[in-house]
Amino acid sequence: MGVRYQFRTKLLLLFLSIILLTLVSIGFIHYWNLKKEVEKRARVNVEHIMQLQINAIESSMVNTENAAWRLSYDKSVQNYMTQLAHPPAELSSQLDRRIQFEQQRSQIGRFRFLDFNGNGKSFGTTLFVRSEVDEIRDAESIRIMSEMDDKKNHWRIASTSHSIPRELLFIKPVFVVSNFKPAVNVGILQVDLKADWIVNNLKDLKKRNIGDFYIANEDGQVLLAADSAGMKRTHVLAEAEDGLVMHSRFTMTDWYLVAEIDKTILLEGSRKAMWQSITAVGVIFLLAFGITVAFSSQITRPILQLRQAMRRMENGVFDVTVPVHSKDELGYLGTSFNRMTEKINVLIHEKYQVELAAKEAQWNALQAQINPHFLFNTLSSIESLAISGKDPDKISKIIHCLADMFRYSISAGKYGQLDEELDHIRNYLYIQKIRFGNYLSYMVDIEDQLAGMQMIKLLLQPLVENAIIHGIEKKQDGGYVSVQVFSLSEDAYAIEIEDNGAGMGAAEMQKLLQKLSMAEEIEAAGRRSIGLRNVVQRLSLHYGGKAEFHMTSAIQFGTVIRLTIPKREG
């Protein structure tokens, strides 16, 4: 057995190593590609979100700029700017109504007018007293505008403390145009764009675990963030060690919308992909393992069959062959072995057929009944009961049944009564029942008028034994064996041996019946070859054409064997 498992184990390890290496390689490549695809989709998704945010912000910025342009070219605004130190009340009231109208169109906050003498007026707010914050903003706006040679428009974010919500400020110079005179810059129009909705958007993105988003300048200094901690960040444009940094530039300013995506969020989809790959590799490996086991069994089965046949020849069984299903090297070995056994059988048949025919028939009859395996199993059952000490009556019953079986087997004569034969079967089934327990159930029944009928001794046990070994033992949930004897006519009766075991297919049964009709030995597991051939030969020998042997079988439904025997009084 060591050689058998050693060869098959090596074959399995070789196949499984190749399969595992292939699957791991494919799984790794699949995971790597899937990871890249997940990261790519994450990038695309973040880029899409960033573009939507930029579009929304710049849309408000465009509305703010348009409002500033409309006001800066308004004659009343230009007149107001020239009189900013002491503006007329009527003009201030007119301008206030105009600015209230502009504030209805967008997120625009306060409008503030500044001249270069430090005068400033605010509209669109309830605070009319110039605060410290206003002074800081005014000074910054005037400084920026004075440093710009081309006097272009300018966006900035108000410089305030971190505790004060920031605002986007649009600064635009106001020119007074007179006929045939160059335009004169009379001051600055500063429009506040509310930033609280932008901050709320950044907070919402953070809550949705998409990442941290900032608005920063080209130096990486944070201008707007979701919280005060984010406002203190610097150099956010630099690559992060533990995450992905993405940024997109505004088209209207030199600002950037920056996204910091944590690796755990980014790789969440990759982890799912990894487990999917591991699961797929595991399932495929299990399937491949099953296929490999079956394939290795197909390869090693001819070797094992040849080895078993050689062992049988060592034990003196020379009329043995092995099935050959291929034309490869193993098929050649099987064919050569069959030719060798055929030549040996021819020699033995020619020399000893006449001398050994009677002895062989008698030996096969006895061998088919109480064989060493059955005796060994029976003694093992007795030993188990004796050790347990629980049911000594069963030990006595088993010994009594075994003694009756031996007594019946060695009794004189070739024939016995039908009820004696059935008692022999009952003893046999009782012993088997002790061995198999609930795994086996049985029934033996006979019509009363047939009890004294004469029949060949020891004819039924091989059939019952085959029903158990080749039928019941092959089913996980066990089964039953039924032996029934009933009259068919005035001249004949029938014996039916039925089991609900594994059964066999039509092709296999047809092949078996064909070999029986040719009086050949049947190659099968266990003792079926001895038993069935012996039953058929003895029926033919003692009853000629008056006895019949019929068999029906179906896979998973069992087998039924009917013997039709002429009636002879004992």
Side-chain angles (χ1 to χ4, degrees):
M1 297 297 289
V3 176
R4 169 187 175 184
Y5 287 111
Q6 181 181 9
F7 176 74
R8 188 176 182 184
T9 301
K10 288 180 179 179
L11 198 61
L12 282 173
L13 289 176
L14 176 62
F15 287 162
L16 291 178
S17 299
I18 296 174
I19 292 172
L20 186 60
L21 180 62
T22 304
L23 287 177
V24 169
S25 301
I26 294 175
F28 177 78
I29 294 173
H30 173 71
Y31 165 69
W32 182 261
N33 292 334
L34 201 55
K35 177 183 176 184
K36 291 297 183 183
E37 182 65 23
V38 170
E39 292 179 358
K40 179 181 177 182
R41 290 182 181 179
R43 287 176 178 270
V44 171
N45 184 44
V46 173
E47 288 175 355
H48 178 67
I49 293 174
M50 293 174 68
Q51 192 59 49
L52 290 177
Q53 294 297 319
I54 290 176
N55 291 342
I57 295 172
E58 290 192 335
S59 176
S60 295
M61 292 172 70
V62 169
N63 291 334
T64 303
E65 289 188 6
N66 291 338
W69 276 93
R70 286 191 294 269
L71 287 173
S72 65
Y73 283 98
D74 191 293
K75 289 296 183 181
S76 60
V77 173
Q78 294 177 7
N79 292 334
Y80 184 84
M81 290 293 295
T82 59
Q83 306 175 61
L84 193 57
H86 303 285
E90 182 180 351
L91 193 57
S92 296
S93 177
Q94 179 183 353
L95 188 58
D96 186 56
R97 289 193 299 272
R98 172 66 185 279
I99 288 176
Q100 288 180 9
F101 174 75
E102 293 292 348
Q103 285 180 320
Q104 295 176 0
R105 301 188 181 185
S106 62
Q107 299 288 339
I108 297 175
R110 184 179 61 168
F111 288 79
R112 186 164 178 78
F113 299 93
L114 305 172
D115 62 16
F116 296 105
N117 296 320
N119 298 311
K121 297 293 181 179
S122 298
F123 290 88
T125 178
T126 57
L127 299 176
F128 297 100
V129 179
R130 188 181 186 192
S131 64
E132 181 182 351
V133 175
D134 290 335
E135 293 179 358
I136 296 173
R137 292 181 176 181
D138 293 349
E140 182 71 11
S141 297
I142 293 172
R143 182 191 63 79
I144 292 173
M145 192 59 63
S146 63
E147 292 177 357
M148 295 174 62
D149 297 334
D150 53 2
K151 304 301 181 185
K152 291 182 178 180
N153 308 322
H154 180 77
W155 277 97
R156 70 184 183 88
I157 293 181
S159 300
T160 61
S161 62
H162 300 313
S163 60
I164 300 175
R166 294 195 167 194
E167 293 181 333
L168 279 66
L169 304 182
F170 176 66
I171 306 170
K172 186 184 186 314
V174 179
F175 294 91
V176 175
V177 181
S178 301
N179 293 332
F180 308 107
K181 292 182 181 180
V184 178
N185 186 1
V186 295
I188 300 171
L189 172 57
Q190 179 178 282
V191 185
D192 297 355
L193 178 60
K194 297 176 184 178
D196 53 350
W197 67 277
I198 301 176
V199 174
N200 290 335
N201 284 353
L202 301 182
K203 289 180 179 179
D204 182 62
L205 292 173
K206 187 173 184 178
K207 289 180 181 178
R208 288 159 54 192
N209 286 330
I210 296 176
D212 293 320
F213 287 77
Y214 311 96
I215 294 179
N217 59 22
E218 56 188 353
D219 296 325
Q221 180 68 38
V222 174
L223 303 177
L224 274 180
D227 49 39
S228 58
M231 293 294 298
K232 300 176 183 179
R233 292 288 304 276
T234 57
H235 306 295
V236 293
L237 292 177
E239 291 292 335
E241 295 181 358
D242 57 348
L244 173 67
V245 176
M246 300 175 62
H247 53 78
S248 181
R249 181 166 179 164
F250 286 76
T251 59
M252 300 177 63
T253 67
D254 57 356
W255 301 340
Y256 289 86
L257 180 59
V258 183
E260 284 188 353
I261 313 300
D262 190 86
K263 278 186 177 179
T264 57
I265 299 175
L266 184 65
L267 298 179
E268 183 177 354
S270 299
R271 290 193 188 96
K272 293 180 181 178
M274 178 184 69
W275 285 113
Q276 289 175 358
S277 298
I278 292 175
T279 303
V281 169
V283 171
I284 295 174
F285 178 76
L286 291 177
L287 292 175
F289 178 79
I291 295 173
T292 302
V293 171
F295 183 66
S296 64
S297 177
Q298 288 287 83
I299 294 178
T300 56
R301 185 180 293 115
I303 299 176
L304 298 180
Q305 291 174 340
L306 184 60
R307 184 167 173 264
Q308 291 169 358
M310 294 177 68
R311 179 170 293 179
R312 293 184 65 190
M313 288 192 66
E314 291 175 355
N315 295 330
V317 182
F318 297 103
D319 52 347
V320 57
T321 59
V322 295
V324 179
H325 303 292
S326 63
K327 297 182 180 180
D328 54 11
E329 289 80 359
L330 294 176
Y332 177 79
L333 287 176
T335 302
S336 300
F337 178 82
N338 291 339
R339 289 174 181 172
M340 178 187 69
T341 56
E342 183 181 357
K343 291 180 179 178
I344 292 175
N345 282 323
V346 169
L347 293 175
I348 293 175
H349 182 76
E350 290 177 351
K351 187 173 182 180
Y352 298 107
Q353 182 179 18
V354 177
E355 300 177 6
L356 299 181
K359 293 183 179 180
E360 183 182 1
Q362 183 181 5
W363 166 252
N364 285 338
L366 294 175
Q367 182 72 4
Q369 312 311 315
I370 304 176
N371 58 77
H373 293 289
F374 171 71
L375 183 59
F376 174 79
N377 292 331
T378 303
L379 294 177
S380 296
S381 300
I382 294 173
E383 180 186 21
S384 299
L385 292 172
I387 292 174
S388 65
K390 294 181 179 179
D391 199 345
D393 292 335
K394 282 187 178 181
I395 298 176
S396 175
K397 177 65 174 177
I398 293 174
I399 295 174
H400 179 74
C401 290
L402 190 62
D404 285 345
M405 290 179 67
F406 274 101
R407 186 181 301 110
Y408 180 71
S409 299
I410 63 176
S411 61
K414 296 181 180 180
Y415 298 92
Q417 289 188 353
L418 192 51
D419 56 350
E420 293 176 342
E421 180 74 9
L422 294 184
D423 285 339
H424 179 77
I425 295 302
R426 290 189 183 96
N427 290 332
Y428 175 80
L429 286 171
Y430 177 83
I431 294 174
Q432 293 289 37
K433 173 70 175 179
I434 295 299
R435 177 188 172 195
F436 290 100
N438 293 332
Y439 193 81
L440 171 67
S441 60
Y442 66 90
M443 179 189 71
V444 180
D445 186 41
I446 181 175
E447 293 181 2
D448 293 337
Q449 65 270 23
L450 297 177
M453 289 292 169
Q454 186 187 72
M455 69 167 295
I456 308 171
K457 288 173 56 178
L458 306 175
L459 184 68
L460 302 183
Q461 185 182 330
L463 305 179
V464 176
E465 183 178 7
N466 280 340
I468 295 175
I469 294 175
H470 301 288
I472 306 304
E473 284 189 8
K474 292 184 178 181
K475 292 189 67 173
Q476 294 183 352
D477 53 351
Y480 70 86
V481 177
S482 169
V483 180
Q484 297 187 53
V485 183
F486 51 91
S487 180
L488 292 177
S489 64
E490 295 181 357
D491 301 322
Y493 63 93
I495 303 176
E496 280 192 356
I497 296 93
E498 179 182 2
D499 68 82
N500 66 338
M504 68 184 79
E508 182 181 358
M509 187 184 69
Q510 186 63 32
K511 185 176 180 180
L512 180 62
L513 292 175
Q514 183 179 1
K515 288 188 176 183
L516 283 175
S517 64
M518 297 173 64
E520 292 180 0
E521 181 173 342
I522 308 160
E523 276 300 317
R527 297 165 45 80
R528 182 182 293 183
S529 59
I530 297 175
L532 288 180
R533 186 182 67 169
N534 191 46
V535 168
V536 173
Q537 287 181 345
R538 294 180 72 197
L539 283 174
S540 176
L541 178 65
H542 293 281
Y543 298 107
K546 296 181 180 180
E548 296 177 356
F549 177 94
H550 295 283
M551 180 169 62
T552 58
S553 184
I555 296 177
Q556 297 302 320
F557 286 94
T559 303
V560 178
I561 294 178
R562 171 182 284 194
L563 305 181
T564 302
I565 301 175
K567 288 182 178 180
R568 293 181 183 178
E569 295 290 340

